[in-house]
C-alpha cells in the first residue's frame, strides 16, 4: 500500500495555483444569524476577507525567511500554522491592503502536533472572523482564502471530500486548492465562519488538500496564553576561512528599524513623558545623544510632536521604517525657540512610527519632556499640556517603561511611602478581561523592611479601562536585583 506523505505547505517562491471550482451556496444555519439568506458567496467573501492576513517571517539577520497566511479572531489575535513561524526570529503581520498590523517574536500558544499557532493580538485589527459552532459534513461547500507568494485574498472554492486520520491526528480533506504560501489561512463555510485551517497537500496526488479541524483550533485558543519565543537560529560568528576576501568586503547587516521600534518605550496619543539624555544613551555624530520612543496610528492621522528642555536645545524627529527596513524621516522640525521644537505629521500608512529626541553636543546632559498630541496643536496649547505632566520616568526596559505619579506620592510615615506606579508595556499583555498594554497599581512601600504592598490595580487597553480590583496583597519582600527592588528603592529615595 502506498503510504500517504503529507507535505506541509511552507512559504516558497514557486508559481501559485488557484483554480476555482463552482460551488452552490446553501442557506445560512441558525448558528449564523448575521448572515442573511440573500447574501451570496461574493458578498460573504467581501465581508470576511479583511480578516485574513499575510505573515512574513525573517531570520535573526533580518533576511526574509518565508510567507504564510493567517486570520484574525476575537481580541485581535492571529491564528496560523506552527510551521509558518518555524525557524523564524520574528514575524510581520500585514492586512489585505499590505499595511503592517504588527510585529512579534513569540506566540501565545503553539502546538507542533496539530500544526497550529496563536500569535499575540494586533493593535488595530480591521475585522475578526467567527469560528463555526460545529464541523461541516462531507459534501458541504467551503472556500479558502490565502496569500500564495504574498498575493493576499486569493480565493478558491470546493467541498469537504473526506475526514482522515493519520499519525494520531484528524484532518479535513478538501477539494479547494491550497497553494504554497496559503498555509495557515482559513477554511470557511458559506456563511463566512471558520471551519478549519489550511495546512497540507498530498505530495504525489492531485488536488488532495488538507486542513486542521475547527475543534483543534478552539482547543488551542482556549488554552492559557503564554509567551513561546520563536525558535529561529541566532547568528553565530563564522570562522575566518569562510569570510569574503579583502577585495570583496562583507556587506553590512540589513537594517531592522521596525524591530528597534518595538523595543522602544511607547507613548500614547495626548500623553507627555519625561526623560533624560546622558552618557548612557545612544551616541551619534560628534558625541551627541538620542533616545527613541514609539507610537502607533492609522493612515491619514495627524499628530503634533513637541520636545522641551531647560537644560539643552532639543531636536525632535518622526521616523518610519521604509520598504528596506531602514529609518525614514516624516515631517519637518519647526524649532520655535531655543528650548522648544515641534513637528506636525500626517501618517501615510497605518502602523508604528518612531519619535527621536536628541541633542547635538556632548558636553550637555539634562532632562527633557516629550509630548504626542492628536491633530495640529498650537505651541501655546501644547506647552500648557506638557507643564501639567504628572508622571515621572523611573526606568525604561526592553519590554516596558515604569513611571510613578508625582501627584499621588505621599510619605505615610518616616519609613513608609505610597504612590501610584504605571507599567507602560511596548507590546500587548493578556488579562482575563482582554488584552492590555498599560497597568497602574497603587502601592505602599516599607523602606525599612524593603517590601511592597499592592492596594489597587487597573488594566488599560491604550486609554480604555478594561478591569480594576482591590487586591488583598500581602507584603512582598523585594527580590535582590529585581525590578521591584529598583522601583522600591527609587520611591523610598524621594
Amino acid at each position: 500500500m502506498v503510504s500517504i506523505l503529507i507535505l506541509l505547505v511552507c512559504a516558497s517562491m514557486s508559481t501559485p495555483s488557484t483554480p476555482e471550482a463552482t460551488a452552490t451556496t446553501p442557506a445560512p444555519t441558525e448558528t449564523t444569524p448575521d448572515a442573511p439568506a440573500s447574501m451570496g458567496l461574493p458578498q460573504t467573501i467581501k465581508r470576511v476577507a479583511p480578516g485574513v492576513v499575510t505573515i512574513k517571517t525573517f531570520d535573526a539577520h533580518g533576511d526574509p525567511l518565508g510567507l504564510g497566511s493567517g486570520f484574525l479572531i476575537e481580541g485581535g489575535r492571529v491564528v496560523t500554522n506552527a510551521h509558518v513561524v518555524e525557524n523564524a526570529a520574528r514575524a510581520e503581520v500585514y492586512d489585505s491592503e499590505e499595511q503592517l498590523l504588527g510585529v512579534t517574536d513569540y506566540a501565545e500558544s503553539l502546538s507542533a502536533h496539530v500544526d497550529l499557532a496563536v500569535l499575540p493580538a494586533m493593535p488595530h485589527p480591521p475585522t475578526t472572523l467567527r469560528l463555526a459552532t460545529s464541523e461541516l459534513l462531507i459534501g458541504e461547500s467551503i472556500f479558502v482564502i490565502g496569500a500564495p507568494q504574498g498575493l493576499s485574498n486569493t480565493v478558491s472554492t470546493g467541498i469537504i471530500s473526506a475526514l482522515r486520520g493519520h499519525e494520531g491526528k484528524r484532518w479535513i480533506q478538501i477539494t479547494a486548492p491550497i497553494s504554497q504560501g496559503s498555509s495557515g489561512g482559513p477554511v470557511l463555510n458559506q456563511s463566512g465562519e471558520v471551519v478549519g485551517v489550511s495546512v497540507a497537500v498530498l505530495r504525489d496526488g492531485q488536488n488532495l488538500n488538507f486542513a486542521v479541524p475547527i475543534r483543534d483550533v478552539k482547543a488551542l485558543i482556549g488554552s492559557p496564553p503564554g509567551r513561546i519565543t520563536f525558535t529561529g537560529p541566532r547568528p553565530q560568528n563564522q570562522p575566518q576561512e569562510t569570510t569574503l576576501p579583502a577585495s570583496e568586503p562583507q556587506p553590512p547587516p540589513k537594517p531592522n528599524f521596525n524591530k528597534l521600534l518595538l523595543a522602544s518605550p511607547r507613548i500614547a496619543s495626548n500623553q507627555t513623558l519625561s526623560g533624560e539624555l546622558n552618557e548612557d544613551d545612544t551616541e551619534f555624530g560628534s558625541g551627541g545623544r538620542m533616545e527613541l520612543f514609539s507610537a502607533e496610528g492609522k493612515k491619514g492621522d495627524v499628530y503634533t510632536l513637541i520636545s522641551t528642555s531647560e537644560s539643552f536645545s532639543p531636536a525632535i524627529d518622526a521616523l518610519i521604517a521604509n520598504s528596506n527596513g531602514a529609518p525614514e524621516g516624516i515631517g519637518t522640525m519647526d524649532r520655535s525657540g531655543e528650548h522648544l521644537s515641534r513637528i506636525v505629521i500626517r501618517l501615510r500608512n497605518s502602523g508604528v512610527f518612531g519619535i527621536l529626541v536628541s541633542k547635538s553636543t556632548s558636553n550637555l546632559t539634562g532632562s527633557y519632556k516629550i509630548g504626542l498630541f492628536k491633530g495640529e496643536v498650537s505651541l501655546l496649547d501644547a506647552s500648557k499640556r506638557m507643564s501639567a505632566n504628572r508622571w515621572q520616568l523611573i526606568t525604561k526596559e526592553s519590554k516596558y517603561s515604569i513611571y510613578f505619579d508625582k501627584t499621588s506620592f505621599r510619605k505615610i510615615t518616616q519609613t513608609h511611602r505610597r504612590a501610584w506606579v504605571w507599567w507602560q508595556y511596548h507590546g500587548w499583555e493578556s488579562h482575563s478581561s482582554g488584552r492590555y498594554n498599560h497597568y497602574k497599581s497603587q502601592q505602599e512601600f516599607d523602606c525599612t523592611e524593603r517590601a511592597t504592598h499592592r492596594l489597587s490595580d487597573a488594566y488599560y487597553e491604550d486609554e480604555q479601562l478594561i478591569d480594576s480590583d482591590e487586591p488583598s496583597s500581602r507584603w512582598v519582600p523585594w527580590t535582590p536585583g529585581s525590578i521591584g527592588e529598583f522601583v522600591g528603592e527609587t520611591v523610598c529615595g524621594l
Side-chain angles (χ1 to χ4, degrees):
M1 179 180 295
V2 180
S3 62
I4 296 179
L5 300 177
I6 295 180
L7 171 64
L8 298 179
V9 182
C10 299
S12 71
M13 300 308 293
S14 63
T15 303
S17 174
T18 58
E20 296 186 358
T22 302
T24 59
T25 306
T29 65
E30 294 181 357
T31 61
T32 57
D34 60 340
S38 60
M39 179 175 285
L41 183 58
Q43 290 76 22
T44 302
I45 292 173
K46 182 178 180 180
R47 173 171 57 86
V48 302
V52 182
V53 299
T54 301
I55 300 173
K56 300 179 181 180
T57 57
F58 300 82
D59 63 19
H61 297 280
D63 295 324
L65 190 62
L67 291 171
S69 301
F71 57 94
L72 296 158
I73 60 172
E74 184 178 5
R77 295 194 292 170
V78 179
V79 175
T80 185
N81 289 142
H83 76 261
V84 168
V85 296
E86 185 178 11
N87 295 324
R90 82 173 195 278
E92 297 181 352
V93 180
Y94 292 83
D95 65 13
S96 58
E97 297 182 352
E98 299 184 358
Q99 300 296 319
L100 180 67
L101 292 178
V103 183
T104 181
D105 59 359
Y106 72 95
E108 288 190 345
S109 301
L110 187 145
S111 172
H113 178 70
V114 295
D115 198 9
L116 289 175
V118 180
L119 307 186
M122 298 295 105
H124 299 290
T127 189
T128 57
L129 302 188
R130 294 176 58 186
L131 305 182
T133 56
S134 61
E135 298 181 9
L136 294 183
L137 301 176
I138 295 174
E140 291 195 58
S141 298
I142 52 91
F143 65 98
V144 176
I145 305 180
Q149 289 195 344
L151 302 175
S152 60
N153 282 355
T154 299
V155 180
S156 58
T157 61
I159 64 170
I160 303 290
S161 58
L163 300 176
R164 302 292 187 189
H166 182 69
E167 296 180 351
K169 293 175 282 188
R170 191 174 185 230
W171 304 91
I172 302 174
Q173 184 178 330
I174 60 178
T175 61
I178 304 174
S179 301
Q180 293 180 337
S182 294
S183 189
V187 178
L188 305 112
N189 61 24
Q190 296 293 289
S191 298
E193 297 174 319
V194 181
V195 296
V197 180
S198 304
V199 66
V201 297
L202 184 67
R203 182 191 295 271
D204 298 321
Q206 294 183 357
N207 200 28
L208 296 179
N209 308 281
F210 294 87
V212 179
I214 190 62
R215 67 178 185 181
D216 291 337
V217 180
K218 289 182 176 179
L220 191 65
I221 292 174
S223 62
R227 188 182 182 92
I228 306 170
T229 304
F230 293 158
T231 57
R234 297 301 184 232
Q236 297 178 352
N237 294 328
Q238 296 182 347
Q240 184 64 34
E241 57 267 24
T242 63
T243 58
L244 296 176
S247 59
E248 300 181 24
Q250 289 274 17
K254 292 185 178 181
N256 189 355
F257 188 60
N258 265 328
K259 190 171 183 179
L260 184 61
L261 283 178
L262 291 175
S264 301
R266 181 65 60 93
I267 180 171
S269 176
N270 299 317
Q271 179 186 2
T272 60
L273 297 176
S274 298
E276 183 179 1
L277 289 177
N278 52 44
E279 61 276 3
D280 294 328
D281 293 308
T282 304
E283 183 178 1
F284 72 98
S286 59
R289 302 288 174 171
M290 59 185 178
E291 287 188 326
L292 179 67
F293 296 83
S294 63
E296 192 167 9
K298 294 183 179 180
K299 181 179 179 180
D301 283 352
V302 176
Y303 291 97
T304 301
L305 315 177
I306 301 286
S307 63
T308 64
S309 174
E310 297 180 358
S311 304
F312 57 91
S313 181
I316 188 169
D317 295 281
L319 306 166
I320 60 171
N322 62 20
S323 58
N324 295 321
E328 176 183 319
I330 53 175
T332 303
M333 184 174 67
D334 170 23
R335 187 178 295 282
S336 303
E338 183 179 357
H339 298 285
L340 175 66
S341 58
R342 181 183 74 157
I343 293 180
V344 179
I345 63 171
R346 180 183 296 273
L347 297 182
R348 302 195 296 263
N349 297 300
S350 300
V352 180
F353 61 95
I355 302 170
L356 188 71
V357 180
S358 62
K359 62 181 184 65
S360 58
T361 55
S362 60
N363 60 341
L364 288 176
T365 62
S367 60
Y368 65 87
K369 289 183 179 180
I370 179 175
L372 172 67
F373 305 106
K374 189 71 175 291
E376 185 168 356
V377 179
S378 69
L379 287 172
L380 178 60
D381 187 20
S383 298
K384 289 180 179 178
R385 297 190 198 183
M386 295 184 70
S387 63
N389 183 39
R390 64 190 295 179
W391 296 97
Q392 179 173 320
L393 179 68
I394 295 178
T395 182
K396 58 179 182 179
E397 307 293 332
S398 61
K399 297 180 180 179
Y400 52 77
S401 297
I402 301 178
Y403 304 82
F404 88 95
D405 181 10
K406 294 182 292 185
T407 63
S408 68
F409 174 74
R410 298 289 185 273
K411 288 186 177 181
I412 307 301
T413 67
Q414 192 67 23
T415 61
H416 284 65
R417 308 286 186 269
R418 181 178 295 178
W420 277 91
V421 183
W422 172 21
W423 276 257
Q424 183 187 53
Y425 293 91
H426 308 152
W428 293 102
E429 301 293 321
S430 297
H431 186 269
S432 58
S433 298
R435 64 180 187 176
Y436 69 95
N437 56 356
H438 297 273
Y439 164 69
K440 294 178 181 178
S441 175
Q442 186 185 36
Q443 300 184 357
E444 186 170 335
F445 303 88
D446 187 330
C447 304
T448 302
E449 297 297 328
R450 301 176 64 81
T452 301
H453 172 51
R454 289 169 38 236
L455 303 173
S456 183
D457 293 335
Y459 300 84
Y460 297 81
E461 181 179 355
D462 291 332
E463 299 177 1
Q464 181 67 38
L465 177 67
I466 65 170
D467 194 17
S468 62
D469 55 36
E470 296 181 0
S472 56
S473 172
R474 59 184 177 83
W475 284 96
V476 178
W478 303 339
T479 302
S482 69
I483 193 67
E485 180 185 53
F486 178 79
V487 170
E489 290 180 340
T490 301
V491 174
C492 284
L494 298 174

